[in-house]
Amino acid sequence: MAKWGQGDPRWIVEEQEDGTNVNNWHWCERDATSWSKGKLREFLVGISELKQVEGEASCSSCKGKLIFFYEWNIKLGWKGIIKESGAKHKGLIEIPNLSEENEVDDTEVNVSKKKGDGDVLKELMRTVGTAQVREALGDYLTALKTEFIVGMILPTKATATQELTIKRKLSENTLQALSPVLLGVRIPTVALHMTEMFDTAVEQLYSIFTVKDLVQKFSKSPAILEAEKEGKFQMFDGNITGEYIELLTNKKIVMKWRCRNWPEEHYATVALNFVPTPGTLQLDCKGVPACKEENMKFCWKQQHFEEIKGLLQLTTLNG
């Protein structure tokens, strides 16, 4: 068996728990079709009535690189009323080919309306409506390339070098200059409250959020953690960043918390309360951008809670 640092890198066995797909060399593909349909509905439903979403999407990794494929045919229905006459009109917005071959701004968006007057409404949908649709499609692609791919590129032995680079960046960016006055920009926000039960003691649950090795195991990606007051953290390959505000061992963690695709300099406040009844976690979050509410719920439910339960189950089996 090859030793670390020797031989063809395709066959060097890293310190992976299961020893699979070392160095992220081998081809790995994940179907994103069902996930994408949900995201497209989430981003488009507020603009027009979603009538059709046909196509497929997937993400592949090979040699440590990500390759995206998506091809969608989308139809939206629009309705409008001419103020002067009160006449009602409706029509369609069609995106015949949203794919990786074209940029969002170059993607074809066709607007039509049923017979009769109402050209003013059609022109409004062709200009303003098209811009909103393209913005929503851009949000979907951002989510595909950030949220969906979490865990696809496994940590490698180069993680230590990456962490050093990340730490340098953290020391140079605005996280160090955060103050109560500059927590974010003024945007519509919402508050979230979630409660989750874990089959473990609160001591172990608390450590999963404060010990770097455990964070990297449940997130399946490199992390930076300074688990102390005013300490910085960075998770999921830099998609999540923030700062610890308060830590009460085995009882409470309060953080400034943001996702990379949020408005610049905007942070939410996340409080984790650990209740020994047994292993109950209460999440209270304030300041979440209203347009990112569902993304935030998904992030905590699927990428945190479910992954932590998987880690705890694995730990129990190995124990």
Side-chain angles (χ1 to χ4, degrees), residues 43-99:
F43 290 126
L44 290 169
V45 74
I47 301 172
S48 299
E49 178 189 359
L50 190 58
K51 290 184 171 294
Q52 173 185 298
V53 180
E54 293 183 349
E56 59 182 325
S58 63
C59 179
S60 305
S61 65
C62 184
K63 302 179 184 178
K65 296 181 180 179
L66 293 171
I67 303 166
F68 296 93
F69 167 81
Y70 50 91
E71 188 171 11
W72 295 104
N73 184 319
I74 303 168
K75 290 184 180 179
L76 301 159
W78 63 266
K79 298 177 181 179
I81 301 175
I82 297 179
K83 186 176 181 180
E84 291 78 7
S85 64
K88 299 179 180 179
H89 296 275
K90 56 185 179 180
L92 292 175
I93 300 175
E94 299 180 79
I95 303 103
N97 185 31
L98 172 66
S99 74

Short mmCIF file of all heavy atoms in Angstrom, two decimals, residues 43-99:
data_model
loop_
_atom_site.label_atom_id
_atom_site.label_comp_id
_atom_site.label_asym_id
_atom_site.label_seq_id
_atom_site.Cartn_x
_atom_site.Cartn_y
_atom_site.Cartn_z
N PHE A 43 -37.76 30.11 -5.97
CA PHE A 43 -37.29 31.41 -6.46
C PHE A 43 -38.25 32.05 -7.46
O PHE A 43 -38.31 33.28 -7.56
CB PHE A 43 -35.91 31.27 -7.10
CG PHE A 43 -34.81 30.98 -6.12
CD1 PHE A 43 -33.97 29.90 -6.28
CD2 PHE A 43 -34.61 31.81 -5.01
CE1 PHE A 43 -32.95 29.64 -5.38
CE2 PHE A 43 -33.61 31.56 -4.10
CZ PHE A 43 -32.77 30.46 -4.29
N LEU A 44 -39.02 31.24 -8.19
CA LEU A 44 -39.87 31.78 -9.25
C LEU A 44 -41.32 32.01 -8.85
O LEU A 44 -42.01 32.82 -9.46
CB LEU A 44 -39.83 30.84 -10.47
CG LEU A 44 -38.51 30.80 -11.25
CD1 LEU A 44 -38.53 29.65 -12.23
CD2 LEU A 44 -38.26 32.12 -11.97
N VAL A 45 -41.79 31.30 -7.82
CA VAL A 45 -43.22 31.34 -7.51
C VAL A 45 -43.69 32.73 -7.09
O VAL A 45 -44.85 33.09 -7.27
CB VAL A 45 -43.55 30.30 -6.40
CG1 VAL A 45 -43.06 30.78 -5.05
CG2 VAL A 45 -45.04 30.02 -6.36
N GLY A 46 -42.80 33.55 -6.54
CA GLY A 46 -43.19 34.89 -6.14
C GLY A 46 -43.31 35.86 -7.30
O GLY A 46 -43.81 36.98 -7.14
N ILE A 47 -42.84 35.45 -8.47
CA ILE A 47 -42.87 36.33 -9.65
C ILE A 47 -44.10 36.05 -10.50
O ILE A 47 -44.84 36.96 -10.87
CB ILE A 47 -41.59 36.13 -10.49
CG1 ILE A 47 -40.35 36.43 -9.64
CG2 ILE A 47 -41.62 37.01 -11.73
CD1 ILE A 47 -39.05 36.08 -10.33
N SER A 48 -44.33 34.80 -10.83
CA SER A 48 -45.46 34.39 -11.66
C SER A 48 -45.90 32.99 -11.25
O SER A 48 -45.25 32.34 -10.43
CB SER A 48 -45.08 34.40 -13.15
OG SER A 48 -44.71 35.69 -13.58
N GLU A 49 -47.00 32.54 -11.85
CA GLU A 49 -47.49 31.19 -11.58
C GLU A 49 -46.65 30.18 -12.34
O GLU A 49 -46.54 30.24 -13.57
CB GLU A 49 -48.95 31.08 -12.02
CG GLU A 49 -49.54 29.70 -11.82
CD GLU A 49 -50.91 29.57 -12.45
OE1 GLU A 49 -51.41 30.57 -13.03
OE2 GLU A 49 -51.47 28.46 -12.40
N LEU A 50 -46.04 29.25 -11.62
CA LEU A 50 -45.18 28.26 -12.25
C LEU A 50 -46.04 27.16 -12.85
O LEU A 50 -46.74 26.44 -12.14
CB LEU A 50 -44.21 27.68 -11.22
CG LEU A 50 -43.08 26.80 -11.75
CD1 LEU A 50 -42.22 27.56 -12.76
CD2 LEU A 50 -42.23 26.29 -10.60
N LYS A 51 -46.00 27.01 -14.17
CA LYS A 51 -46.83 26.04 -14.86
C LYS A 51 -46.08 24.77 -15.25
O LYS A 51 -46.64 23.68 -15.28
CB LYS A 51 -47.44 26.66 -16.12
CG LYS A 51 -48.51 27.72 -15.82
CD LYS A 51 -49.14 28.23 -17.10
CE LYS A 51 -50.34 29.11 -16.82
NZ LYS A 51 -51.47 28.37 -16.20
N GLN A 52 -44.78 24.91 -15.55
CA GLN A 52 -44.04 23.74 -16.03
C GLN A 52 -42.55 23.88 -15.70
O GLN A 52 -41.96 24.94 -15.89
CB GLN A 52 -44.21 23.60 -17.54
CG GLN A 52 -43.34 22.52 -18.18
CD GLN A 52 -43.47 22.52 -19.69
OE1 GLN A 52 -44.55 22.28 -20.23
NE2 GLN A 52 -42.36 22.77 -20.39
N VAL A 53 -41.98 22.82 -15.17
CA VAL A 53 -40.53 22.72 -14.97
C VAL A 53 -40.11 21.35 -15.47
O VAL A 53 -40.34 20.35 -14.80
CB VAL A 53 -40.12 22.90 -13.49
CG1 VAL A 53 -38.61 22.80 -13.36
CG2 VAL A 53 -40.59 24.23 -12.95
N GLU A 54 -39.51 21.31 -16.63
CA GLU A 54 -39.06 20.05 -17.21
C GLU A 54 -37.57 20.10 -17.48
O GLU A 54 -37.05 21.11 -17.98
CB GLU A 54 -39.81 19.77 -18.52
CG GLU A 54 -41.29 19.51 -18.34
CD GLU A 54 -41.98 19.17 -19.65
OE1 GLU A 54 -41.33 19.35 -20.72
OE2 GLU A 54 -43.15 18.75 -19.62
N GLY A 55 -36.88 19.01 -17.17
CA GLY A 55 -35.46 18.95 -17.43
C GLY A 55 -34.74 18.14 -16.38
O GLY A 55 -35.33 17.33 -15.66
N GLU A 56 -33.46 18.39 -16.26
CA GLU A 56 -32.63 17.65 -15.30
C GLU A 56 -31.41 18.47 -14.93
O GLU A 56 -31.05 19.44 -15.61
CB GLU A 56 -32.20 16.31 -15.90
CG GLU A 56 -31.40 16.46 -17.20
CD GLU A 56 -31.03 15.11 -17.79
OE1 GLU A 56 -30.78 14.17 -17.00
OE2 GLU A 56 -30.98 14.99 -19.02
N ALA A 57 -30.79 18.08 -13.83
CA ALA A 57 -29.57 18.74 -13.37
C ALA A 57 -28.75 17.73 -12.57
O ALA A 57 -29.29 16.82 -11.94
CB ALA A 57 -29.90 19.96 -12.51
N SER A 58 -27.44 17.91 -12.61
CA SER A 58 -26.56 17.04 -11.84
C SER A 58 -25.25 17.77 -11.59
O SER A 58 -24.94 18.77 -12.24
CB SER A 58 -26.29 15.73 -12.59
OG SER A 58 -25.60 15.99 -13.81
N CYS A 59 -24.51 17.26 -10.62
CA CYS A 59 -23.19 17.80 -10.32
C CYS A 59 -22.23 16.62 -10.17
O CYS A 59 -22.53 15.65 -9.48
CB CYS A 59 -23.22 18.63 -9.05
SG CYS A 59 -21.60 19.30 -8.59
N SER A 60 -21.10 16.71 -10.83
CA SER A 60 -20.10 15.65 -10.77
C SER A 60 -18.79 16.21 -10.23
O SER A 60 -18.49 17.40 -10.43
CB SER A 60 -19.86 15.04 -12.16
OG SER A 60 -21.07 14.58 -12.71
N SER A 61 -18.04 15.36 -9.55
CA SER A 61 -16.71 15.77 -9.10
C SER A 61 -15.69 14.76 -9.61
O SER A 61 -15.95 13.55 -9.63
CB SER A 61 -16.65 15.85 -7.57
OG SER A 61 -16.83 14.57 -6.99
N CYS A 62 -14.56 15.26 -10.05
CA CYS A 62 -13.49 14.40 -10.55
C CYS A 62 -12.17 15.14 -10.38
O CYS A 62 -12.07 16.32 -10.75
CB CYS A 62 -13.74 14.04 -12.01
SG CYS A 62 -12.52 12.87 -12.67
N LYS A 63 -11.20 14.47 -9.83
CA LYS A 63 -9.88 15.08 -9.60
C LYS A 63 -9.99 16.35 -8.78
O LYS A 63 -9.26 17.32 -8.99
CB LYS A 63 -9.17 15.36 -10.93
CG LYS A 63 -8.99 14.12 -11.81
CD LYS A 63 -8.30 14.47 -13.12
CE LYS A 63 -8.20 13.25 -14.02
NZ LYS A 63 -7.58 13.56 -15.32
N GLY A 64 -10.96 16.37 -7.86
CA GLY A 64 -11.11 17.52 -6.97
C GLY A 64 -11.82 18.70 -7.60
O GLY A 64 -11.88 19.77 -7.01
N LYS A 65 -12.39 18.53 -8.81
CA LYS A 65 -13.07 19.62 -9.49
C LYS A 65 -14.55 19.30 -9.65
O LYS A 65 -14.94 18.14 -9.76
CB LYS A 65 -12.45 19.88 -10.87
CG LYS A 65 -11.00 20.35 -10.80
CD LYS A 65 -10.44 20.61 -12.20
CE LYS A 65 -9.00 21.08 -12.13
NZ LYS A 65 -8.44 21.33 -13.48
N LEU A 66 -15.38 20.34 -9.66
CA LEU A 66 -16.83 20.17 -9.80
C LEU A 66 -17.27 20.51 -11.23
O LEU A 66 -16.80 21.48 -11.81
CB LEU A 66 -17.56 21.08 -8.82
CG LEU A 66 -17.39 20.71 -7.34
CD1 LEU A 66 -17.99 21.81 -6.46
CD2 LEU A 66 -18.04 19.38 -7.02
N ILE A 67 -18.16 19.69 -11.76
CA ILE A 67 -18.69 19.88 -13.11
C ILE A 67 -20.21 19.91 -13.01
O ILE A 67 -20.82 18.96 -12.49
CB ILE A 67 -18.24 18.75 -14.05
CG1 ILE A 67 -16.71 18.64 -14.07
CG2 ILE A 67 -18.79 18.97 -15.46
CD1 ILE A 67 -16.19 17.36 -14.70
N PHE A 68 -20.82 20.98 -13.50
CA PHE A 68 -22.27 21.14 -13.41
C PHE A 68 -22.94 20.90 -14.76
O PHE A 68 -22.44 21.35 -15.79
CB PHE A 68 -22.63 22.54 -12.91
CG PHE A 68 -22.15 22.82 -11.52
CD1 PHE A 68 -20.93 23.43 -11.30
CD2 PHE A 68 -22.92 22.46 -10.42
CE1 PHE A 68 -20.47 23.68 -10.02
CE2 PHE A 68 -22.49 22.71 -9.14
CZ PHE A 68 -21.26 23.32 -8.94
N PHE A 69 -24.07 20.19 -14.72
CA PHE A 69 -24.88 20.01 -15.92
C PHE A 69 -26.33 20.32 -15.54
O PHE A 69 -26.84 19.82 -14.54
CB PHE A 69 -24.79 18.57 -16.45
CG PHE A 69 -25.84 18.25 -17.48
CD1 PHE A 69 -25.66 18.64 -18.80
CD2 PHE A 69 -27.02 17.61 -17.14
CE1 PHE A 69 -26.63 18.38 -19.76
CE2 PHE A 69 -28.00 17.34 -18.09
CZ PHE A 69 -27.79 17.73 -19.40
N TYR A 70 -26.97 21.15 -16.33
CA TYR A 70 -28.39 21.41 -16.12
C TYR A 70 -29.02 21.84 -17.43
O TYR A 70 -28.39 22.51 -18.27
CB TYR A 70 -28.61 22.50 -15.04
CG TYR A 70 -27.81 23.76 -15.25
CD1 TYR A 70 -28.32 24.84 -15.96
CD2 TYR A 70 -26.53 23.88 -14.71
CE1 TYR A 70 -27.60 25.99 -16.15
CE2 TYR A 70 -25.79 25.03 -14.90
CZ TYR A 70 -26.32 26.08 -15.61
OH TYR A 70 -25.58 27.23 -15.79
N GLU A 71 -30.23 21.43 -17.64
CA GLU A 71 -30.98 21.77 -18.85
C GLU A 71 -32.46 21.81 -18.48
O GLU A 71 -33.04 20.78 -18.13
CB GLU A 71 -30.71 20.75 -19.95
CG GLU A 71 -31.30 21.16 -21.30
CD GLU A 71 -30.83 20.26 -22.42
OE1 GLU A 71 -30.23 19.20 -22.14
OE2 GLU A 71 -31.09 20.60 -23.58
N TRP A 72 -33.06 23.00 -18.57
CA TRP A 72 -34.43 23.18 -18.11
C TRP A 72 -35.29 23.90 -19.15
O TRP A 72 -34.82 24.80 -19.83
CB TRP A 72 -34.45 24.00 -16.81
CG TRP A 72 -33.80 23.32 -15.66
CD1 TRP A 72 -32.56 23.58 -15.14
CD2 TRP A 72 -34.33 22.23 -14.90
NE1 TRP A 72 -32.30 22.74 -14.10
CE2 TRP A 72 -33.36 21.90 -13.92
CE3 TRP A 72 -35.53 21.53 -14.93
CZ2 TRP A 72 -33.56 20.88 -13.00
CZ3 TRP A 72 -35.73 20.50 -14.01
CH2 TRP A 72 -34.76 20.19 -13.05
N ASN A 73 -36.55 23.45 -19.22
CA ASN A 73 -37.58 24.13 -20.00
C ASN A 73 -38.65 24.56 -18.99
O ASN A 73 -39.29 23.71 -18.35
CB ASN A 73 -38.17 23.17 -21.04
CG ASN A 73 -39.19 23.86 -21.94
OD1 ASN A 73 -40.00 24.65 -21.48
ND2 ASN A 73 -39.16 23.52 -23.22
N ILE A 74 -38.83 25.86 -18.86
CA ILE A 74 -39.69 26.40 -17.80
C ILE A 74 -40.78 27.28 -18.40
O ILE A 74 -40.52 28.08 -19.31
CB ILE A 74 -38.86 27.23 -16.80
CG1 ILE A 74 -37.73 26.37 -16.21
CG2 ILE A 74 -39.73 27.79 -15.68
CD1 ILE A 74 -36.69 27.16 -15.44
N LYS A 75 -42.01 27.13 -17.89
CA LYS A 75 -43.12 27.98 -18.32
C LYS A 75 -43.77 28.62 -17.09
O LYS A 75 -44.06 27.93 -16.10
CB LYS A 75 -44.15 27.18 -19.10
CG LYS A 75 -43.67 26.73 -20.48
CD LYS A 75 -44.78 26.02 -21.24
CE LYS A 75 -44.29 25.58 -22.62
NZ LYS A 75 -45.36 24.87 -23.38
N LEU A 76 -44.01 29.91 -17.18
CA LEU A 76 -44.66 30.66 -16.11
C LEU A 76 -45.89 31.36 -16.67
O LEU A 76 -45.89 31.80 -17.82
CB LEU A 76 -43.71 31.73 -15.54
CG LEU A 76 -42.38 31.24 -14.95
CD1 LEU A 76 -41.37 32.38 -14.93
CD2 LEU A 76 -42.58 30.70 -13.56
N GLY A 77 -46.92 31.46 -15.86
CA GLY A 77 -48.12 32.20 -16.28
C GLY A 77 -48.16 33.55 -15.58
O GLY A 77 -47.83 33.67 -14.41
N TRP A 78 -48.52 34.59 -16.32
CA TRP A 78 -48.63 35.92 -15.71
C TRP A 78 -50.04 36.49 -15.92
O TRP A 78 -50.73 36.16 -16.88
CB TRP A 78 -47.57 36.89 -16.25
CG TRP A 78 -47.64 37.20 -17.73
CD1 TRP A 78 -46.98 36.58 -18.73
CD2 TRP A 78 -48.43 38.24 -18.34
NE1 TRP A 78 -47.30 37.13 -19.94
CE2 TRP A 78 -48.18 38.16 -19.74
CE3 TRP A 78 -49.30 39.20 -17.87
CZ2 TRP A 78 -48.77 39.02 -20.66
CZ3 TRP A 78 -49.91 40.06 -18.79
CH2 TRP A 78 -49.63 39.97 -20.16
N LYS A 79 -50.47 37.33 -14.99
CA LYS A 79 -51.77 37.99 -15.06
C LYS A 79 -51.59 39.47 -14.73
O LYS A 79 -50.71 39.83 -13.96
CB LYS A 79 -52.76 37.38 -14.08
CG LYS A 79 -53.08 35.92 -14.33
CD LYS A 79 -54.02 35.39 -13.25
CE LYS A 79 -54.33 33.91 -13.47
NZ LYS A 79 -55.23 33.37 -12.41
N GLY A 80 -52.43 40.31 -15.32
CA GLY A 80 -52.35 41.74 -15.04
C GLY A 80 -53.66 42.44 -15.33
O GLY A 80 -54.51 41.93 -16.06
N ILE A 81 -53.81 43.60 -14.73
CA ILE A 81 -55.01 44.42 -14.93
C ILE A 81 -54.60 45.80 -15.39
O ILE A 81 -53.71 46.43 -14.78
CB ILE A 81 -55.83 44.53 -13.62
CG1 ILE A 81 -56.25 43.14 -13.13
CG2 ILE A 81 -57.06 45.41 -13.83
CD1 ILE A 81 -56.95 43.15 -11.80
N ILE A 82 -55.23 46.30 -16.47
CA ILE A 82 -54.98 47.67 -16.91
C ILE A 82 -55.78 48.61 -16.02
O ILE A 82 -57.00 48.52 -15.93
CB ILE A 82 -55.39 47.84 -18.39
CG1 ILE A 82 -54.51 46.93 -19.27
CG2 ILE A 82 -55.24 49.29 -18.82
CD1 ILE A 82 -54.84 47.00 -20.73
N LYS A 83 -55.08 49.50 -15.36
CA LYS A 83 -55.70 50.34 -14.33
C LYS A 83 -56.83 51.19 -14.88
O LYS A 83 -57.90 51.31 -14.26
CB LYS A 83 -54.63 51.23 -13.69
CG LYS A 83 -55.11 52.04 -12.51
CD LYS A 83 -53.96 52.81 -11.88
CE LYS A 83 -54.43 53.60 -10.68
NZ LYS A 83 -53.32 54.37 -10.05
N GLU A 84 -56.63 51.79 -16.04
CA GLU A 84 -57.62 52.72 -16.58
C GLU A 84 -58.94 52.03 -16.91
O GLU A 84 -60.03 52.53 -16.63
CB GLU A 84 -57.07 53.41 -17.84
CG GLU A 84 -55.95 54.39 -17.57
CD GLU A 84 -54.62 53.68 -17.33
OE1 GLU A 84 -54.56 52.45 -17.52
OE2 GLU A 84 -53.65 54.37 -16.94
N SER A 85 -58.87 50.85 -17.52
CA SER A 85 -60.09 50.17 -17.98
C SER A 85 -60.53 49.03 -17.07
O SER A 85 -61.68 48.58 -17.14
CB SER A 85 -59.86 49.60 -19.39
OG SER A 85 -58.84 48.61 -19.37
N GLY A 86 -59.63 48.55 -16.24
CA GLY A 86 -59.94 47.41 -15.39
C GLY A 86 -59.91 46.09 -16.13
O GLY A 86 -60.27 45.05 -15.58
N ALA A 87 -59.46 46.14 -17.41
CA ALA A 87 -59.40 44.91 -18.22
C ALA A 87 -58.31 43.98 -17.71
O ALA A 87 -57.21 44.41 -17.39
CB ALA A 87 -59.15 45.27 -19.68
N LYS A 88 -58.65 42.69 -17.66
CA LYS A 88 -57.70 41.68 -17.20
C LYS A 88 -57.05 40.97 -18.38
O LYS A 88 -57.73 40.65 -19.36
CB LYS A 88 -58.39 40.67 -16.29
CG LYS A 88 -58.99 41.27 -15.03
CD LYS A 88 -59.68 40.20 -14.20
CE LYS A 88 -60.29 40.80 -12.94
NZ LYS A 88 -60.98 39.77 -12.11
N HIS A 89 -55.75 40.73 -18.26
CA HIS A 89 -55.03 40.03 -19.33
C HIS A 89 -54.08 39.03 -18.70
O HIS A 89 -53.66 39.17 -17.55
CB HIS A 89 -54.25 41.02 -20.19
CG HIS A 89 -55.11 41.99 -20.93
ND1 HIS A 89 -55.69 41.70 -22.14
CD2 HIS A 89 -55.52 43.24 -20.59
CE1 HIS A 89 -56.41 42.74 -22.54
NE2 HIS A 89 -56.32 43.68 -21.62
N LYS A 90 -53.75 38.00 -19.46
CA LYS A 90 -52.79 37.00 -18.99
C LYS A 90 -52.00 36.43 -20.16
O LYS A 90 -52.39 36.57 -21.33
CB LYS A 90 -53.50 35.89 -18.23
CG LYS A 90 -54.60 35.17 -18.99
CD LYS A 90 -55.30 34.17 -18.08
CE LYS A 90 -56.43 33.45 -18.80
NZ LYS A 90 -57.11 32.47 -17.91
N GLY A 91 -50.91 35.81 -19.81
CA GLY A 91 -50.04 35.26 -20.85
C GLY A 91 -49.01 34.32 -20.25
O GLY A 91 -49.15 33.84 -19.13
N LEU A 92 -47.94 34.08 -21.02
CA LEU A 92 -46.90 33.14 -20.62
C LEU A 92 -45.52 33.76 -20.66
O LEU A 92 -45.25 34.66 -21.46
CB LEU A 92 -46.91 31.91 -21.53
CG LEU A 92 -48.10 30.95 -21.46
CD1 LEU A 92 -47.96 29.88 -22.53
CD2 LEU A 92 -48.20 30.32 -20.08
N ILE A 93 -44.66 33.28 -19.78
CA ILE A 93 -43.22 33.54 -19.86
C ILE A 93 -42.56 32.18 -20.05
O ILE A 93 -42.75 31.27 -19.23
CB ILE A 93 -42.68 34.20 -18.58
CG1 ILE A 93 -43.37 35.54 -18.33
CG2 ILE A 93 -41.17 34.40 -18.68
CD1 ILE A 93 -42.96 36.20 -17.02
N GLU A 94 -41.80 32.02 -21.11
CA GLU A 94 -41.18 30.74 -21.41
C GLU A 94 -39.66 30.85 -21.45
O GLU A 94 -39.11 31.77 -22.07
CB GLU A 94 -41.69 30.20 -22.75
CG GLU A 94 -43.20 29.95 -22.76
CD GLU A 94 -43.69 29.41 -24.10
OE1 GLU A 94 -43.51 28.20 -24.35
OE2 GLU A 94 -44.21 30.20 -24.90
N ILE A 95 -38.99 29.94 -20.76
CA ILE A 95 -37.53 29.82 -20.81
C ILE A 95 -37.25 28.46 -21.44
O ILE A 95 -37.28 27.42 -20.76
CB ILE A 95 -36.88 29.91 -19.41
CG1 ILE A 95 -37.27 31.23 -18.72
CG2 ILE A 95 -35.38 29.81 -19.51
CD1 ILE A 95 -38.31 31.09 -17.67
N PRO A 96 -37.04 28.40 -22.76
CA PRO A 96 -36.95 27.11 -23.45
C PRO A 96 -35.67 26.33 -23.19
O PRO A 96 -35.65 25.12 -23.34
CB PRO A 96 -37.05 27.50 -24.93
CG PRO A 96 -36.58 28.91 -24.99
CD PRO A 96 -36.99 29.53 -23.69
N ASN A 97 -34.60 27.03 -22.77
CA ASN A 97 -33.34 26.31 -22.60
C ASN A 97 -32.42 27.03 -21.60
O ASN A 97 -31.53 27.78 -21.99
CB ASN A 97 -32.62 26.16 -23.94
CG ASN A 97 -31.36 25.31 -23.82
OD1 ASN A 97 -31.28 24.42 -22.98
ND2 ASN A 97 -30.37 25.60 -24.65
N LEU A 98 -32.66 26.76 -20.32
CA LEU A 98 -31.72 27.22 -19.30
C LEU A 98 -30.67 26.12 -19.14
O LEU A 98 -30.98 25.03 -18.68
CB LEU A 98 -32.44 27.47 -17.97
CG LEU A 98 -31.53 27.77 -16.76
CD1 LEU A 98 -30.80 29.09 -16.96
CD2 LEU A 98 -32.34 27.78 -15.48
N SER A 99 -29.44 26.39 -19.54
CA SER A 99 -28.40 25.36 -19.48
C SER A 99 -27.05 25.99 -19.19
O SER A 99 -26.89 27.21 -19.24
CB SER A 99 -28.33 24.58 -20.80
OG SER A 99 -27.74 25.37 -21.82
#
